[in-house]
Amino acid sequence: MNAQRHQSRSSELVGLAKVPARPSRVQLAPHGYLWIFPAFALCVGVIYYCVGYSVYISTLSWDGLSSYQQDVGLENYQKLFADPLFWSSLWHTVVFFVVVFTLQTLLGIVFAAILHSKVKLAVIYKVLIFLPVVIAPAIMAPVHRNVLSKDGALNSILSSLGLGDFTRSWLADTSTSLWAIIGVQIWSSAGVAFILFFAAMSQVDLETLEAARIDGAGNVRTLLYIVMPEVKGTVIALAVLNAMAALRLFDFPYLLTRGGPVYSSEFPGVFIYREYAAAHAGYSSAASVVLLVIALGASVLMTMRHRRSLRAEQGR
Amino acid sequence: MVSRVSRSLALASVFALAVGLGACGSGSSDEGNGDDGVVTINYWGFAPKSTTADKYKEAFEASHPNIKVNFRVVEITDYPATLRPGLQSDDGPDVLPLAAGGAIAGAFLFEDAVEDLTPLAKATLGDDFADQFGGGYIEQLTVNGKLLASPFVGVTAQYFWYNKDLFDKYSLVPPTNYDEMKKVCDTFAANDVQCFVGGFGGDLPFGGELARTIANSIEPGYWEDAIKGKVSWESPVITETVDVLRKMQADGIIAEDAIAIQQYPEANNIFQSQQAAMIQMGSWYAQYDPKDVSAEAQEAAGVTDPQVFTQLTMPAPDLSGHGNIPTTLGEVDWGVAISKRSQHKAEAEEFVKWLTMTEEGQQFGCSVLEGVPTLKNVEPDWPNLNLSNPELQEANIRQIIEDSLTTTETRNRWIGPETAEAILQLVQGALTTNTPAADLAAAAQSAAKPLDGAADS
């Protein structure tokens, strides 16, 4: 039975592969372009103009305000690549991405799987899991500061569990400030992963699941071997979303630690903001441009990898 | 048919693009001109706070019915990033506060974006206008011969403010040295009261203020000379300062989480809600002396039943044990500038003139205890201050004003963004890492950048 299903799925995939190729772009022209031209013109005129202007500013020594602008070529980039603070902010971004993405995915899948089973009051749980996503970081930041303070709720819980030796001022400690921000981010965004996985799991063929059950697969096995392959696309999408979010992260580090203490929770967004506020407009623009290139590169890489794996799946 | 549609779409696209780019560009804005002849000017500032701003607005508009002031209070740490684009836009501020120095609102940072107010000051107060202001205030806001802002209030800093009621309750007197400070703190700790609260997180310079107090008790004037680049940060004075900071933290005088909180709002809330007995602030802190303002501050800090208490200043203690009582620092706290992009310069000038160059405006400012009056011979409206403890607090405010006239050391005048950041990291490094004090001092030396002309001052 299982083999039959696999066969039929393979045939479907083969069928998909036989769908006639999409009409080439040339076939859309000439009047097709006119329909997209208004949006295209606005996009180029507003967004790409600003990106171009940032690139131009990045070649200047300029305070962002005065009429004195000195052309320094690539000097800002040279300085940036030699700036250990910028590199450490990027390293924090990598750590942030890996940890947040991993735990968010794990939590999202577990919550989604649990709520796909017959749980009482499921709607309430869904709301509770998703609620942190819709609360603005600016509103939650004072609460988090309080929870993570020396006399905050987290330390009270640790003390009551007999873990008093672990209590500390989480945001004032150079060894924990980054992890505190990571924790807060996971808390505030796990709901997104949950919603995505919940929706993706709704698309899993019920018959396949039933077949797995009949074949004796338990919950974990079904999740790992039946559900997970089906939600792989969601994992990739979540990875791309998380990578972008990590690269442009600003709110929680700025509101909770301002990148400190001693730059221990510095992220590129805070770095750029601080440099701009310190009247180094050219330098902060150079950092923005590098960040943009990294973001584009990461996005292209992940998309290419996803396509390759799709193609490999189709070829199987 | 298709080609007609295409042409229409193309035209629409060009129009949309033009509108889009036009929105990016700098068109003129006549928003401020109402049909009734009333002109609205925009004030963007980190000071005064919103409740005080309403009082200014009311008083100014009462005497200037054709001008309305739209106050926009900007969080002080966001001020530079908000102001830069604002000053390049026709929809930005007409008037704005600038300070003598510092990384946030130092007048020199905005030199090209604001008008030279020398002609206005001369026309209003005469050629000797500089003499009509307190010592050095005009010079401190003058950059390259241009008066960038007209002085409004002066500041005297390095005071420790203390809650007299709490001190009396436990029969304590203000400490004058480290040992006394430790004893006072131990007594408060035994009674579940925080002794001293400091918010050294964020970008505000309060950690640096305490470090400077310590450094000035080791060698008076050294810290300012280091700011000016006359002496090195790599010095025994600075390393000893780091050691004293660490000792204060180890002894529980500085809270373990001082770096995790900011002076505003957290540390201020802790002091105003009477959970802490001491805080380091400047003359501006007298604005919490009046009963109503104190009650408002306590409510904002979460106190449901505000109690009147007496807050007073005391000289900073000799925290290093070298026998030097740290001197107060003083300079113009902030003045008011006019944006070069203002579409309503005449009205903006009227506002600046009223606020900073008339006795009425100046007295208004010092009567809400925003700071020390900058125009000579102006005093607060003593009978109507509504102080929590008139007998003690009036004398205290008079002492603050007197100190402002005798102080010789400036506060932020010569601090630029790089030096501010260097000091911030020095203090954070001292309180959150085990990095040797000498290494922290060396890092400060390499990061600090003295302002042009500082070494010659």
Side-chain angles (χ1 to χ4, degrees):
Chain A
M1 171 123 181
N2 232 2
Q4 273 179 348
R5 280 189 197 287
H6 275 299
Q7 206 175 1
S8 111
R9 187 157 181 79
S10 301
S11 324
E12 278 173 24
L13 289 172
V14 173
L16 274 177
K18 283 178 184 169
V19 169
R22 230 170 36 161
S24 71
R25 287 177 187 181
V26 178
Q27 283 170 289
L28 281 172
H31 50 270
Y33 278 124
L34 281 172
W35 289 102
I36 62 164
F37 188 74
F40 177 76
L42 271 177
C43 205
V44 171
V46 178
I47 298 172
Y48 293 104
Y49 166 77
C50 295
V51 172
Y53 189 58
S54 280
V55 174
Y56 166 67
I57 292 174
S58 73
T59 63
L60 303 175
S61 171
W62 184 42
D63 67 2
L65 193 59
S66 72
S67 52
Y68 178 71
Q69 300 177 337
Q70 188 192 353
D71 185 355
V72 292
L74 297 176
E75 201 179 287
N76 283 328
Y77 291 94
Q78 283 172 343
K79 198 176 143 200
L80 186 72
F81 292 135
D83 190 337
L85 278 186
F86 182 66
W87 288 111
S88 76
S89 73
L90 285 180
W91 172 243
H92 294 157
T93 306
V94 172
V95 173
F96 177 91
F97 166 69
V98 171
V99 179
V100 172
F101 169 63
T102 308
L103 291 179
Q104 204 188 56
T105 304
L106 206 68
L107 287 172
I109 289 171
V110 170
F111 288 149
I114 291 172
L115 289 170
H116 262 295
S117 56
K118 286 169 186 170
V119 178
K120 280 183 186 171
L121 305 172
V123 177
I124 292 174
Y125 291 131
K126 282 179 204 170
V127 171
L128 287 177
I129 294 168
F130 195 71
L131 196 62
V133 177
V134 296
I135 304 177
I139 292 170
M140 283 316 295
V143 179
H144 291 309
R145 290 166 72 92
N146 203 298
V147 168
L148 296 165
S149 71
K150 186 80 182 83
D151 304 319
L154 179 59
N155 283 341
S156 299
I157 292 169
L158 286 174
S159 296
S160 63
L161 293 174
L163 299 170
D165 288 347
F166 291 97
T167 62
R168 63 190 65 217
S169 180
W170 297 89
L171 297 173
D173 192 322
T174 49
S175 62
T176 56
S177 58
L178 177 64
W179 297 102
I181 287 172
I182 287 173
V184 167
Q185 179 70 22
I186 292 169
W187 173 86
S188 78
S189 62
V192 174
F194 158 69
I195 286 290
L196 291 175
F197 283 116
F198 190 82
M201 285 179 190
S202 307
Q203 304 301 311
V204 176
D205 185 10
L206 283 176
E207 287 181 18
T208 313
L209 290 173
E210 276 169 30
R213 296 278 184 210
I214 292 165
D215 287 350
N219 285 341
V220 177
R221 219 173 161 77
T222 307
L223 188 66
L224 288 178
Y225 295 103
I226 306 293
V227 176
M228 282 305 290
E230 295 290 324
V231 298
K232 203 172 167 185
T234 306
V235 176
I236 302 287
L238 203 60
V240 175
L241 286 174
N242 264 297
M244 297 305 109
L247 283 167
R248 59 190 175 85
L249 184 69
F250 177 76
D251 43 22
F252 279 129
Y254 185 74
L255 293 166
L256 294 178
T257 62
R258 293 283 207 279
V262 202
Y263 305 115
S264 57
S265 57
E266 182 88 325
F267 283 84
V270 180
F271 177 89
I272 290 165
Y273 182 82
R274 181 182 297 114
E275 291 298 335
Y276 178 71
H280 304 146
Y283 191 55
S284 70
S285 290
S288 305
V289 171
V290 170
L291 203 62
L292 177 70
V293 171
I294 293 172
L296 282 174
S299 175
V300 167
L301 260 177
M302 285 184 186
T303 312
M304 279 171 64
R305 202 178 153 76
H306 180 47
R307 279 190 186 160
R308 214 178 299 149
S309 69
L310 271 182
R311 255 185 253 127
E313 259 180 36
Q314 286 176 355
R316 246 184 265 144
Chain B
M1 175 70 185
V2 169
S3 68
R4 206 180 306 153
V5 170
S6 303
R7 270 201 300 272
S8 306
L9 275 169
L11 271 173
S13 310
V14 171
F15 176 72
L17 180 60
V19 170
L21 290 177
C24 277
S26 53
S28 67
S29 164
D30 287 331
E31 249 177 53
N33 282 324
D35 293 338
D36 51 0
V38 175
V39 171
T40 301
I41 55 171
N42 290 311
Y43 179 104
W44 290 12
F46 57 86
K49 59 184 166 55
S50 53
T51 44
T52 314
D54 289 342
K55 293 177 186 168
Y56 289 156
K57 179 181 161 71
E58 206 176 292
F60 174 73
E61 288 176 359
S63 57
H64 298 78
N66 292 327
I67 307 173
K68 283 204 176 302
V69 187
N70 179 26
F71 275 95
R72 179 183 166 190
V73 178
V74 181
E75 190 64 36
I76 187 160
T77 47
D78 297 329
Y79 194 57
T82 308
L83 209 52
R84 282 175 196 287
L87 287 171
Q88 293 174 79
S89 154
D90 290 337
D91 297 322
D94 296 292
V95 280
L96 58 146
L98 292 179
I104 292 173
F108 58 88
L109 294 168
F110 302 96
E111 182 186 351
D112 273 13
V114 296
E115 293 288 346
D116 177 10
L117 298 180
T118 310
L120 178 68
K122 277 186 180 171
T124 310
L125 299 170
D127 287 348
D128 64 341
F129 70 91
D131 298 335
Q132 298 185 43
F133 285 94
Y137 291 149
I138 288 289
E139 180 268 328
Q140 288 159 11
L141 288 170
T142 301
V143 177
N144 294 325
K146 290 179 282 187
L147 178 63
L148 301 181
S150 182
F152 179 49
V153 282
V155 61
T156 321
Q158 292 275 292
Y159 296 114
F160 275 44
W161 287 80
Y162 70 100
N163 182 325
K164 190 176 183 305
D165 297 21
L166 284 176
F167 270 73
D168 289 348
K169 185 174 176 185
Y170 301 109
S171 308
L172 297 168
V173 291
T176 61
N177 58 40
Y178 192 92
D179 291 340
E180 289 176 13
M181 183 89 171
K182 175 84 172 63
K183 277 181 194 159
V184 163
C185 286
D186 287 346
T187 306
F188 278 125
N191 291 285
D192 285 333
V193 176
Q194 189 174 342
C195 168
F196 171 81
V197 61
F200 304 155
D203 302 327
L204 294 177
F206 290 95
E209 298 256 301
L210 180 62
R212 189 169 182 171
T213 301
I214 297 166
N216 276 349
S217 75
I218 299 167
E219 187 176 325
Y222 190 91
W223 190 275
E224 186 178 45
D225 285 345
I227 287 168
K228 290 177 177 175
K230 290 179 178 176
V231 296
S232 174
W233 290 94
E234 278 185 279
S235 137
V237 175
I238 305 303
T239 52
E240 190 178 342
T241 300
V242 169
D243 292 341
V244 174
L245 276 171
R246 284 175 168 165
K247 189 171 174 231
M248 288 174 77
Q249 193 179 36
D251 285 343
I253 299 172
I254 296 176
E256 195 185 317
D257 63 349
I259 290 296
I261 66 168
Q262 298 180 42
Q263 194 82 341
Y264 290 99
E266 286 112 324
N268 179 47
N269 284 347
I270 290 170
F271 182 79
Q272 288 299 327
S273 58
Q274 303 199 65
Q275 295 173 64
M278 284 184 276
I279 190 168
Q280 189 173 28
M281 291 281 196
S283 50
W284 68 87
Y285 210 59
Q287 66 187 282
Y288 294 104
D289 282 2
K291 279 181 204 164
D292 54 337
V293 182
S294 172
E296 275 170 24
Q298 289 180 59
E299 278 169 6
V303 178
T304 47
D305 179 24
Q307 303 292 316
V308 172
F309 72 92
T310 305
Q311 58 164 35
L312 296 170
T313 64
M314 64 179 187
D318 165 23
L319 293 168
S320 68
H322 284 260
N324 300 309
I325 296 294
T327 178
T328 52
L329 315 174
E331 62 191 18
V332 60
D333 194 12
W334 54 279
V336 188
I338 298 176
S339 167
K340 276 187 177 166
R341 300 288 291 258
S342 169
Q343 305 292 306
H344 308 291
K345 287 209 177 99
E347 291 76 13
E349 284 184 356
E350 274 304 313
F351 179 73
V352 172
K353 214 159 69 176
W354 174 81
L355 193 66
T356 67
M357 298 177 194
T358 66
E359 278 192 26
E360 185 194 354
Q362 282 261 339
Q363 197 193 50
F364 197 85
C366 66
S367 293
V368 293
L369 302 170
E370 192 77 53
V372 175
T374 50
L375 209 52
K376 284 177 185 168
N377 305 320
V378 173
E379 285 198 3
D381 181 12
W382 296 112
N384 295 312
L385 290 184
N386 191 26
L387 300 173
S388 301
N389 185 332
E391 191 187 339
L392 293 177
Q393 287 177 324
E394 185 176 321
N396 190 224
I397 295 165
R398 285 185 188 278
Q399 181 63 49
I400 291 171
I401 294 173
E402 200 179 312
D403 288 348
S404 76
L405 302 173
T406 55
T407 185
T408 53
E409 203 174 311
T410 59
R411 184 178 177 232
N412 291 326
R413 170 71 180 90
W414 298 108
I415 298 180
E418 290 82 3
T419 302
E421 185 65 17
I423 294 171
L424 192 75
Q425 297 309 321
L426 177 79
V427 174
Q428 291 198 354
L431 295 177
T432 62
T433 70
N434 295 319
T435 307
D439 291 354
L440 293 175
Q445 176 62 27
S446 108
K449 188 178 161 195
L451 294 177
D452 292 341
D456 305 324
S457 65

